[in-house]
Amino acid sequence: MRKIVAVAVLAAMTMLGTVAAVASVATETGGHPRTGQWAGSAPQAPAPPKGGAQRQEVSQEQYDILIGQCRYAKTKEARQRCRTQAREQYRVGSFNEALDCRTYSGVSVCGVLELSDAQRACVEESVGGGLTRRRAEVECYAFR
């Protein structure tokens, strides 16, 4: 009975994550290339302009996600560093189509995630088990 419940919960979580990801792509609130040779590829951080870093303009929703995702960092120092980096790299303005935002298992993140060694190992294990790299990164970042 427990196995049936566990499978049902896992299926529901998978469906909700998929629906949220599709919805974000459909409404142009985030996502990554859906077609072509880069479909499903790992996001790349944009190169800073020559002469120093320039703050990227993002929507209020994207900014809130960038700040909010810092709560998943494992230490107080890492959470503070994450928030400081987000404040320094981004400013609220208009929607940024180039910013990779995604939601899986109820967790929304934007940009390139800084993963620990344990989290990177989790990603590789999850990808080997059939999860997409993007989903594995989000879930390992939030839950490991």
Side-chain angles (χ1 to χ4, degrees), residues 3-4 11 17 19 22 32 35 38 47 51 53 61 69 86 88 92 114 130:
K3 288 182 182 180
I4 293 171
V19 169
V22 169
H32 204 60
T35 60
W38 303 111
E61 182 181 9
Q69 73 192 35
E88 289 174 354
V92 176
E114 288 188 33

Side-chain angles (χ1 to χ4, degrees), residues 9-133:
V9 169
L10 181 60
M13 288 177 56
T14 301
M15 181 59 73
L16 289 173
T18 302
V19 169
V22 169
S24 74
V25 169
T27 60
E28 297 182 8
T29 60
H32 204 60
R34 290 152 302 282
T35 60
Q37 75 181 59
W38 303 111
S41 64
Q44 299 295 317
K50 291 183 180 180
Q54 180 179 344
R55 293 173 72 191
Q56 293 183 49
E57 192 171 283
V58 297
S59 69
Q60 182 67 55
E61 182 181 9
Q62 288 173 313
Y63 187 81
D64 291 344
I65 291 170
L66 286 159
I67 295 296
Q69 73 192 35
C70 295
R71 72 177 167 266
Y72 297 110
K74 299 304 175 204
T75 65
K76 182 178 180 179
E77 294 79 19
R79 287 187 292 275
Q80 185 59 44
R81 185 174 58 250
C82 176
R83 288 185 194 101
T84 299
Q85 285 178 331
R87 289 183 188 112
E88 289 174 354
Q89 292 178 353
Y90 303 97
R91 65 183 174 85
V92 176
S94 61
F95 179 78
N96 185 338
E97 290 184 27
L99 184 62
D100 179 33
C101 295
R102 58 255 187 229
T103 301
Y104 294 104
S105 300
V107 178
S108 295
V109 298
C110 289
V112 177
L113 301 174
E114 288 188 33
L115 302 175
S116 67
D117 290 338
Q119 290 167 330
R120 280 192 291 280
C122 170
V123 169
E124 295 307 319
E125 181 181 332
S126 298
V127 168
L131 229 55
T132 65
R133 180 165 298 279

